[in-house]
Amino acid sequence: MSSVADPHLPALDFPRSPTEPTPDEQRASLLADPGFGRVFSDHMAVASWSAERGWHDDGVRGLEPMTLHPAAAVLHYAQEIFEGLKAYRQPDGSVALFRPDLNAARFAHSARRLSLPELPVSAFVTAVTELVRLDAAWVPEPPATLYLRPFTVATEAFLGVRASDEARFAVLASPAGSFFSGRDAGLTLWIAPDLSRAAPGGTGDAKCGGNYAAGLAAQGVARAHDCDQVLFLDAVEHRWLEESGTMNVLLVTADGDLVTPPLGTILDGVTRRSVLELAAGHGLRPVERPVSVEELRDGARSGAITEVFASGTAAVISPIVRFREPGGEFTVGGGTPGPRTQALRAELVDLQFGRTADPRGWRVPVA
């Protein structure tokens, strides 16, 4: 299963087949308060794959339910992957994506890990672009965005345990408001002492649904302790920081380091990577190294760690101001969002919404 396009097969260009759009007044009402992940645009990008034909039947068509046989591999063995990225309304009314090539590359990596067919990077970007162009009216005004959810599921009807010989790719578009609504003052995290998200050699660095399902129990424990999310530790020693719920975690030290756990069992987040590349402009040295829960606890109490935040596509950057654990709790930086957290978030959001120059070429105009 390769991401290299077969020259004997037609290129995937996702031709558009518009359907009757949602009336303007109804769409405006939905965009006024979309929430997160509950409202969807009029169309979806789709493509099918089989071992015999490769990728085929691609296009952008009306949003409709997917029909699966009850024996489809995804329903029994969770053979599926997904991505998350956004389209941003720009000051001149146009629409841009943010570093979609990185999402496309990670999607291909996830496909390899889950034994699914790789969609060529160019086809991934084309699918997302054509969907946004057709449904550009669904891109809300800032600070809201149009959240995009590409995914591939194994569809072969077969109960044996092996890689599926059939799959289906699709992209959904969902106007989205704030992911952590009402949490601008900072998040409180529960440090999970025993429930792990991923293990070495597992699927922790792939974006697949099983990783998220495995984290739901820990999220439930976090909520029972009046916390917004969970801080996962490693699965071997239950000591080393991994991810903050569904987001990467980063720490600012008094010495001017921006520290984040290394890749391996965590996602290579696009926002994480972007923040590390922006760090120097904020007087910070990006450092990828293991961080123990003892270092976090002692550093927060001594002032050696001055700020902690989580990064991800959905919430961008969210300050973390308090941690709870079975033995008690501790705060970071006086319990309020730190200045570098806020400055990094402001720069990143301004880049995404086209309010500042883009010397790195991260913005990709699409509509």
Side-chain angles (χ1 to χ4, degrees):
M1 297 183 182
S2 172
S3 62
V4 178
D6 187 332
H8 301 294
L9 295 175
L12 297 175
D13 53 10
F14 292 90
R16 287 177 267 170
S17 301
T19 58
E20 186 69 25
T22 299
D24 292 346
E25 184 175 341
Q26 181 182 351
R27 185 177 60 250
S29 176
L30 292 169
L31 291 179
D33 184 20
F36 186 87
R38 294 186 178 276
V39 177
F40 299 93
S41 71
D42 294 317
H43 299 88
M44 62 192 294
V46 296
S48 296
W49 178 89
S50 68
E52 181 179 346
R53 298 180 58 190
W55 288 107
H56 60 280
D57 196 25
D58 55 301
V60 180
R61 303 161 192 162
L63 180 70
E64 62 182 5
M66 294 180 69
T67 300
L68 291 174
H69 191 283
V74 64
L75 301 178
H76 299 267
Y77 309 118
Q79 193 184 6
E80 64 83 42
I81 57 173
F82 67 95
E83 264 301 325
L85 65 162
K86 293 178 176 179
Y88 304 85
R89 183 72 66 184
Q90 305 295 289
D92 63 359
S94 64
V95 178
L97 304 175
F98 185 76
R99 310 191 78 175
D101 56 313
L102 297 185
N103 295 96
R106 188 172 64 183
F107 196 63
H109 168 78
S110 297
R112 290 191 294 273
R113 184 62 185 84
L114 272 294
S115 296
L116 283 163
E118 293 180 48
L119 189 73
V121 167
S122 60
F124 178 101
V125 175
T126 298
V128 171
T129 297
E130 293 304 314
L131 175 59
V132 173
R133 284 175 176 165
L134 187 55
D135 280 350
W138 283 92
V139 182
E141 294 298 321
T145 59
L146 185 65
Y147 182 79
L148 304 166
R149 172 53 63 85
F151 62 95
T152 297
V153 297
T155 56
E156 184 183 4
F158 176 66
L159 294 180
V161 182
R162 62 160 170 77
S164 175
D165 282 341
E166 297 175 3
R168 189 161 176 81
F169 166 77
V171 186
L172 304 177
S174 175
S178 174
F179 187 72
F180 287 117
S181 179
R183 295 293 190 270
D184 293 340
L187 305 177
T188 297
L189 265 56
W190 173 255
I191 300 176
D194 50 8
L195 293 173
S196 301
R197 171 188 168 274
T203 59
D205 65 344
K207 200 167 179 67
C208 59
N211 292 343
Y212 293 76
L216 295 178
Q219 288 184 26
V221 174
R223 293 192 182 97
H225 288 86
D226 197 25
C227 294
D228 302 297
Q229 255 297 354
V230 59
L231 176 64
F232 286 110
L233 306 180
D234 73 290
V236 179
E237 298 181 62
H238 300 288
R239 179 188 178 198
W240 303 98
L241 274 58
E242 294 221 326
E243 289 195 357
S244 166
T246 59
M247 304 172 72
N248 295 120
V249 62
L250 300 97
L251 305 84
V252 178
T253 72
D255 294 331
D257 288 342
L258 179 62
V259 184
T260 190
L263 300 177
T265 55
I266 66 173
L267 275 180
D268 184 5
V270 176
T271 308
R272 172 188 182 273
R273 186 185 300 196
S274 301
V275 167
L276 292 175
E277 293 178 35
L278 294 173
H282 295 263
L284 295 170
R285 293 180 298 274
V287 179
E288 298 179 66
R289 64 168 175 82
V291 181
S292 69
V293 69
E294 295 89 355
E295 179 183 356
L296 171 65
R297 186 188 302 116
D298 295 345
R301 288 172 173 165
S302 70
I305 294 174
T306 59
E307 304 177 39
V308 182
F309 61 90
S311 71
T313 298
V316 191
I317 289 178
S318 295
I320 301 168
V321 299
R322 183 175 293 102
F323 293 89
R324 292 188 177 131
E325 55 186 339
E329 68 176 60
F330 57 93
T331 58
V332 180
T336 58
R340 276 166 162 154
T341 298
Q342 296 180 83
L344 282 164
R345 187 183 196 284
E347 181 178 7
L348 194 56
V349 169
D350 283 347
L351 274 169
Q352 292 169 335
F353 284 105
R355 296 191 288 254
T356 188
D358 180 26
R360 299 172 184 83
W362 288 351
R363 282 195 302 268
V364 179
V366 294

